[in-house]
Amino acid sequence: MEFKTPGRCKRWDEFNARWKAIAPELASDEVLYGADGALGKPYTLKNKLIGNRWAIHPMEGWDGTGDGLPSEDTLRRWQRFGLSGAKLIWGGEAVAVMAEGRANPHQLYVNPSVDTRAGLAQLREALIDSHESTGAATDDIYIGLQLTHSGRFCRPTGDGPAPRIAYRHPVLDARAGVQSDDAILSDMELEGITERYVQAATHAQAAGFEFVDVKCCHGYLLHELLGAKTRPGPYGGSFENRTRFFRETVAAIRSACPGLDIGVRVSIGDLHPFSPGEDRRGEPTGWNDSLPYTYGFGVDEQDPRRVDLTESFLLLELLRGMGISLVNLTLGSPYYNPHLQRPAAYPPSDGYQPPEDPLHQVAEHLRITRQCKSAYPDLALVGTGYSYLQEWLPNVAQHELAQGHVDFVGLGRMVLSYPELPLHVLRGQPLERKKICRTFSDCTTGPRNGLRSGCYPLDAHYKVRPDYTILKEIKERMN
Ligand SMILES: Cc1cc2nc3c(=O)[nH]c(=O)nc-3n(C[C@H](O)[C@H](O)[C@H](O)COP(=O)(O)O)c2cc1C
């Protein structure tokens, strides 16, 4: 690694100088104000008071039962989300609306043969109980469930990929095992999938969730549909057609589940797929072989090495018009440009070495979120990509909130290793350095190799498992 990770900056001024060297408009706060500062300020969303500005991003564990219900590990993860003190729980994790839509055989899913509602309720209650055990109030926590269909990245059984796509892609087809147009979902099949979203939302509401996230990110089906420029028919081509499935699905959920709020997690910007180049660093190999690049959403057609927010803003406009004000902004995909989606010092086993200092990608998340917030100040925006900031995460988070650049700071990987970080910051306690996520990517490498996800290096629950030995062997073979 030629870059210095944030954790190696021992003093705030050292970090702040490095941060500003990435881009002069970046800044962080030297002094943290705990619950009295921007992170502790409540937010009123419609009529609901959300107690602070920490959000927990959805984090799957590849650890559901074969029937699609939570296991002990799943429950433990949700309990730890509750311990965090964060008041906005975004989805818990991606739950597939049907068996065929799972991204792995251990994903939670809506299985008509079991009591899905009870399984979901168990997760939500475990989270609330652990939240309460910290002495926190529970009437100001806002909990949603993320609903998904994995589309191109379906892998519902141990037999390998079973992709269902919106359109043929010049690079991703080969990677996802797409061999013919048979993988393309027909318009009628899409209409059937809307019904499954409605069923899933009905279960979520019955289980007590206050909102569902109709997930549009990370290369999964609804994200791919947003970029289905080459697809003929009612679900492709124009922006109106590409958002039709989303609009119809939201309308169907609203009609079946009055009172249930809708949120959207969206990859608001994207890039051409990356692969390892010279020195195993990631590069957008072949980006100029298929120009204009009409195969994505929020990516520049003439130069797909760049994000283009023109349609992203149209989407935010559309959401506002639909009365959806809770939006979680993310970028890219863990499958084809993980350095952007989850900036890390160390790549996952199916990834590549960082093309540049990962702080650039953290900055890209923040820059794009700032642009969206400035254009749509009335939306409640959740920011992503903070875990790589390590020790300095709270200083950047407080700054972005205090300056009105974002409404909630979402945490992903950091919560796997150090769930209490938000609580400690709110209480003005020093951080426990041993628990800080160092972005080793084992939480991604594990599942890519058929193991459960979790923080193997730092969480004792995973460290003692035989899986960790297997994981280490896999990583040694990679080097
Ligand atoms: C192990 C793991 C599981 C994840 N599961 C989901 C998921 O179910 N749904 C989702 O939208 N994002 C998921 N993500 C992405 C995170 O929510 C988050 O966007 C990403 O880790 C970047 O945030 P961070 O820098 O705080 O980690 C997952 C990430 C990891 C590492």
Side-chain angles (χ1 to χ4, degrees):
M1 280 188 301
E2 293 146 28
F3 47 87
K4 181 170 166 183
T5 58
R8 287 171 58 206
C9 296
K10 296 296 168 226
R11 292 190 327 272
W12 170 80
D13 52 355
E14 198 186 336
F15 166 74
N16 202 48
R18 252 185 67 47
W19 189 220
K20 283 200 162 299
I22 298 289
E25 70 274 17
L26 296 171
S28 64
D29 286 356
E30 181 174 9
V31 179
L32 295 175
Y33 296 106
D36 297 332
L39 284 158
K41 204 167 153 200
Y43 186 97
T44 306
L45 181 76
K46 298 178 186 162
N47 294 324
K48 171 79 190 181
L49 186 82
I50 304 176
N52 61 41
R53 304 304 187 92
W54 287 111
I56 303 300
H57 286 314
M59 299 282 289
E60 241 195 287
W62 288 258
D63 54 15
T65 68
D67 284 338
L69 292 171
S71 66
E72 287 302 312
D73 281 341
T74 325
L75 276 165
R76 177 180 183 269
R77 189 170 51 260
W78 284 60
Q79 277 159 352
R80 285 158 67 88
F81 294 166
L83 287 180
S84 71
K87 294 291 187 180
L88 175 56
I89 307 295
W90 192 286
E93 64 189 87
V95 175
V97 298
M98 55 203 279
E100 302 83 342
R102 282 174 292 171
N104 67 81
H106 305 291
Q107 185 165 28
L108 302 187
Y109 75 100
V110 179
N111 177 353
S113 317
V114 300
D115 192 347
T116 299
R117 187 210 61 79
L120 296 176
Q122 204 188 1
L123 287 172
R124 184 178 161 278
E125 280 152 24
L127 188 150
I128 291 180
D129 287 349
S130 68
H131 189 71
E132 199 166 25
S133 74
T134 66
T138 55
D139 56 353
D140 58 353
I141 184 167
Y142 197 55
I143 310 177
L145 189 72
Q146 184 177 62
L147 304 182
T148 194
H149 184 295
S150 306
R152 181 175 289 278
F153 300 103
C154 286
R155 191 185 269 265
T157 68
D159 295 336
R164 300 307 317 273
I165 60 174
Y167 57 90
R168 300 296 300 269
H169 190 287
V171 179
L172 296 179
D173 279 2
R175 294 197 196 175
V178 174
Q179 282 160 5
S180 75
D181 288 357
D182 292 350
I184 299 176
L185 284 160
S186 69
D187 296 344
M188 215 196 287
E189 282 178 300
L190 284 177
E191 283 156 25
I193 292 174
T194 290
E195 288 310 308
R196 310 307 283 264
Y197 270 87
V198 172
Q199 280 169 19
T202 308
H203 285 305
Q205 188 175 34
F209 287 89
E210 287 167 284
F211 74 97
V212 288
D213 165 20
V214 180
K215 176 180 188 178
C216 294
C217 60
H218 301 164
Y220 297 115
L221 181 61
L222 272 76
H223 180 212
E224 186 159 278
L225 279 165
L226 291 179
K229 295 175 181 168
T230 56
R231 181 185 172 103
Y235 295 106
S238 65
F239 178 77
E240 193 191 351
N241 281 357
R242 284 181 276 125
T243 53
R244 186 182 306 281
F245 182 81
F246 171 76
R247 287 183 285 111
E248 287 177 352
T249 301
V250 169
I253 292 175
R254 281 180 162 164
S255 135
C257 308
L260 181 67
D261 279 345
I262 306 279
V264 179
R265 187 163 209 219
V266 55
S267 287
I268 202 74
D270 205 356
L271 298 175
H272 188 276
F274 274 57
S275 54
E278 300 224 350
D279 302 338
R280 294 164 62 202
R281 280 169 196 259
E283 54 182 43
T285 321
W287 67 271
N288 49 2
D289 291 344
S290 41
L291 295 179
Y293 183 76
T294 47
Y295 307 99
F297 174 77
V299 47
D300 190 328
E301 287 189 6
Q302 303 309 324
D303 183 353
R305 296 171 300 174
R306 298 159 58 96
V307 168
D308 177 353
L309 294 181
T310 313
E311 286 205 336
S312 315
F313 280 3
L314 287 181
L315 183 70
L316 294 177
E317 191 81 43
L318 175 76
L319 296 180
R320 181 156 77 180
M322 291 171 74
I324 297 175
S325 45
L326 190 58
V327 185
N328 186 325
L329 300 174
T330 171
L331 298 174
S333 162
Y335 297 101
Y336 56 79
N337 44 35
H339 74 290
L340 174 67
Q341 195 257 350
R342 46 185 80 157
Y346 305 91
S349 60
D350 62 342
Y352 41 78
Q353 291 299 329
E356 58 185 338
D357 184 337
L359 275 181
H360 284 285
Q361 279 67 46
V362 178
E364 182 81 336
H365 277 269
L366 268 52
R367 187 180 64 78
I368 288 174
T369 301
R370 287 180 179 196
Q371 286 178 29
C372 294
K373 187 65 202 167
S374 142
Y376 296 92
D378 51 325
L379 296 181
L381 298 184
V382 183
T384 298
Y386 285 78
S387 287
Y388 180 71
L389 290 163
Q390 305 178 1
E391 273 80 348
W392 306 105
L393 188 163
N395 306 66
V396 173
Q398 183 182 280
H399 177 84
E400 293 300 299
L401 283 165
Q403 297 303 312
H405 294 320
V406 69
D407 298 295
F408 293 91
V409 168
L411 298 186
R413 292 161 295 175
M414 185 63 83
V415 176
L416 297 181
S417 64
Y418 187 1
E420 311 88 345
L421 179 140
L423 195 64
H424 289 173
V425 174
L426 291 172
R427 289 182 176 164
Q429 288 176 222
L431 297 187
E432 291 181 31
R433 297 199 67 219
K434 280 190 192 155
K435 290 186 172 177
I436 291 178
C437 169
R438 302 294 172 195
T439 62
F440 291 121
S441 290
D442 286 3
C443 54
T444 305
T445 294
R448 293 288 186 262
N449 292 279
L451 308 174
R452 292 177 172 214
S453 181
C455 185
Y456 286 89
L458 301 184
D459 180 353
H461 183 75
Y462 291 93
K463 204 171 191 160
V464 296
R465 293 192 171 188
D467 281 0
Y468 190 31
T469 312
I470 300 173
L471 192 59
K472 282 194 271 198
E473 283 164 11
I474 292 168
K475 287 172 70 171
E476 265 162 35
R477 279 202 300 275
M478 273 163 55
N479 289 328

